[in-house]
Amino acid sequence: ITVDSGAVIVSWNSGAERMFGYSEAETDGKPLSMLVPDEAKETFLKCWDEVVSDELSSLSGGLVELNAKRKGGEVFPIEFSVSSWKTSNGAFFTGIVRDVTSRRRMETSLKIRHELDRITARISSRFLSEPNIDKAIDLALEDIAGLSGAGRAYLFLLKGDKKNMDNTHEWCGQGVSPQIDNLKDLPTDIFPWWMQKLNRGELIHITDVSQMPEEAYNEKEILESQDIRSLIVLPVYIARELAGFIGFDNVDATGEWS
């Protein structure tokens, strides 16, 4: 992509067309800022003034990473290098741009896996050394919630006859209302959809509480009363029998859990 000193696009090749979704005709004479996410435009314009004033000495020969925006509005990470050249018509700047979405995903995945291994080791060590098991459970919930981005994490345990259950442990993020005191001695039969899944050994992955199926009406009503937008719940076993479940709530947004 080549632009003039006013950050106006003057050359746009087929690779740029594929990457950003705009044809050459759609970008010719248009500002480069059309490729910048709205929240970054002010910073971009300020940086561009600096680039032009020092004739690219701060960028020349190096790689820069930042976010860009496709035609449909999708924001994605790019890596680029820039070179400058002068003509009788002024200075021009040519950028070689690479979409680094796949690399970013791989780096994020590796980082999460490393953090997961570290947290797993810490939780295991804590259960072996911490004399207060309730404290160990609370800290484990906090650790996993921090890694998963959950706003609330909790443990429910079935009572002896498995007809009732208690929320025994809970961790809440900043600004998230605790629910543990409202979730004691709950009859399991008011959650038929939920309990059927857990008894079959299934995890419960709800990406959008408002879109839960009709047969989960009771569960949907209770979750919405707690301002839960999405959640993931996994069965907990003791001596190979269902003993309860551990859950993670997102009270800010809907979406899938990895």
Side-chain angles (χ1 to χ4, degrees):
I1 301 171
T2 299
V3 299
D4 63 18
S5 59
V8 173
I9 299 170
V10 297
S11 176
W12 183 261
N13 73 0
S14 59
E17 289 185 344
R18 291 191 299 271
M19 185 180 298
F20 291 95
Y22 293 100
S23 67
E24 184 177 12
E26 289 177 298
T27 60
D28 186 37
K30 297 294 194 307
L32 185 62
S33 58
M34 68 185 290
L35 309 178
V36 180
D38 292 343
E39 63 272 14
K41 282 189 177 178
E42 185 177 346
T43 301
F44 164 76
L45 293 173
K46 187 181 296 183
C47 290
W48 182 257
D49 288 340
E50 294 175 2
V51 167
V52 173
S53 65
D54 69 7
E55 295 187 345
L56 211 64
S57 61
S58 61
L59 291 179
S60 185
L63 291 173
V64 178
E65 286 196 27
L66 48 75
N67 286 334
K69 184 175 66 173
R70 301 190 208 275
K71 183 177 182 179
E74 177 193 355
V75 175
F76 69 107
I78 61 170
E79 174 185 86
F80 68 93
S81 60
V82 186
S83 59
S84 64
W85 40 284
K86 291 184 178 180
T87 72
S88 58
N89 294 322
F92 291 86
F93 303 84
T94 297
I96 298 174
V97 186
R98 180 179 291 109
D99 183 342
V100 294
T101 302
S102 296
R103 192 180 75 196
R104 283 276 187 92
R105 284 176 181 163
M106 185 178 295
E107 289 171 350
T108 300
S109 178
L110 289 172
K111 183 178 179 181
I112 291 174
R113 177 55 62 91
H114 174 74
E115 185 68 6
L116 180 60
D117 289 343
R118 190 178 68 84
I119 286 176
T120 301
R122 188 165 70 194
I123 290 173
S124 299
S125 175
R126 189 182 292 134
F127 276 112
L128 289 171
S129 60
E130 174 58 62
N132 184 337
I133 192 169
D134 291 312
K135 181 180 178 182
I137 293 172
D138 287 337
L139 291 172
L141 290 174
E142 181 178 0
D143 282 342
I144 304 170
L147 181 64
S148 66
R152 184 188 294 117
Y154 44 86
L155 173 66
F156 274 75
L157 290 177
L158 299 172
K159 293 192 171 183
D161 58 5
K162 299 191 177 182
K163 293 182 178 180
N164 296 76
M165 60 185 175
D166 285 335
N167 183 182
T168 58
H169 301 78
E170 179 188 56
W171 174 87
C172 293
Q174 187 173 5
V176 178
S177 302
Q179 298 292 329
I180 189 168
D181 292 337
N182 305 321
L183 302 170
K184 301 292 187 184
D185 203 31
L186 298 176
T188 56
D189 61 7
I190 66 173
F191 309 105
W193 178 82
W194 188 284
M195 294 307 300
Q196 282 177 14
K197 282 185 167 292
L198 292 176
N199 280 309
R200 290 196 298 260
E202 299 177 15
L203 65 82
I204 299 170
H205 182 195
I206 301 172
T207 59
D208 186 345
V209 169
S210 69
Q211 300 300 313
M212 289 175 68
E214 191 173 330
E215 59 268 28
Y217 174 81
N218 288 352
E219 291 86 348
K220 177 175 179 285
E221 195 172 56
I222 290 173
L223 295 174
E224 287 184 331
S225 71
Q226 299 173 49
D227 298 322
I228 298 170
R229 306 286 299 282
S230 65
L231 72 153
I232 189 166
V233 170
L234 303 100
V236 170
Y237 297 94
I238 297 176
R240 298 187 179 183
E241 288 191 12
L242 181 68
F245 55 89
I246 183 172
F248 304 92
D249 296 343
N250 189 332
V251 298
D252 296 320
T254 59
E256 291 193 1
W257 295 74
S258 65

